[in-house]
């Protein structure tokens, strides 16, 4: 494990399924067509997409020879306006339900906040997960979709050195 593969490790957790937590990918019964590491050059349109990015890395040194990287993850969520009846409210409710599934998966299992051993802990320090929704009055007319961003932190395994 290294700081370079943290985003891929988080994507592996978010795309896991069959473990009792909500599956996110539509291929596994979830509501999201794509959960991928990093932002593509040309993001897909008219699809439900999650792009996993790393906003920052902070290394805390302690005991003179040990250090622990902490990441701030940023999930960019894109949800299409897809109601055939043009009912934006129904699409926003569906988006809220899909975001709730993401939050449940980020929260993980009671007693295990390591995302299956991929990190030391996730979404615990600092003790918050932040979800910010973009104003649909801006995103719907221009892009025919809803946007949100989720940020949270993950502490990595300690490094000696």
């Amino acid at each position: 494990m290294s700081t370079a593969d943290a985003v891929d490790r988080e994507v592996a957790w978010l795309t896991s399924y069959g473990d009792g937590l909500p599956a996110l990918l539509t291929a596994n019964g979830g509501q999201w067509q794509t959960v991928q590491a990093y932002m593509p050059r040309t993001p897909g349109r008219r699809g439900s997409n999650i792009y996993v990015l790393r906003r920052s890395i902070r290394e805390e040194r302690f005991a003179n020879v040990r250090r622990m990287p902490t990441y701030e993850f940023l999930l960019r969520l894109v949800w299409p306006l897809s109601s055939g009846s043009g009912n934006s409210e129904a699409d926003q409710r569906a988006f809220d339900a899909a975001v709730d599934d993401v939050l449940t998966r980020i929260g993980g299992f009671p007693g295990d906040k390591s995302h299956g051993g991929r990190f030391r802990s996730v979404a615990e320090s600092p003790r918050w997960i932040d979800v910010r929704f973009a104003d649909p009055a801006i995103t719907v007319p221009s892009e025919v979709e809803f946007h949100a961003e989720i940020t949270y932190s993950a502490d990595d395994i300690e490094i000696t050195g």
Side-chain angles (χ1 to χ4, degrees), residues 4 13 21 26 30-31 46 51 67 93 95 136 157:
W13 171 255
L21 294 172
T26 54
Q31 300 180 68
R46 308 289 300 146
Y51 303 109
R67 53 195 166 104
R93 283 186 184 91
F95 186 35
I157 307 302

Side-chain angles (χ1 to χ4, degrees), residues 86-130:
N87 186 339
S88 174
E89 294 90 339
D91 287 331
Q92 288 175 79
R93 283 186 184 91
F95 186 35
D96 283 345
V99 168
D100 188 66
D101 284 351
V102 175
L103 292 173
T104 301
R105 178 142 291 276
I106 290 169
F109 297 106
D112 176 19
K113 301 298 180 189
S114 68
H115 284 187
R118 292 171 178 87
F119 297 94
R120 181 175 178 181
S121 67
V122 179
E124 287 197 328
S125 178
R127 291 173 171 81
W128 51 264
I129 299 172
D130 187 39

Side-chain angles (χ1 to χ4, degrees), residues 28-51:
N28 303 323
Q31 300 180 68
W32 298 93
Q33 293 169 337
T34 304
V35 178
Q36 84 171 49
Y38 307 109
M39 200 72 187
R41 181 175 175 195
T42 54
R45 294 311 235 187
R46 308 289 300 146
S48 53
N49 304 304
I50 300 174
Y51 303 109

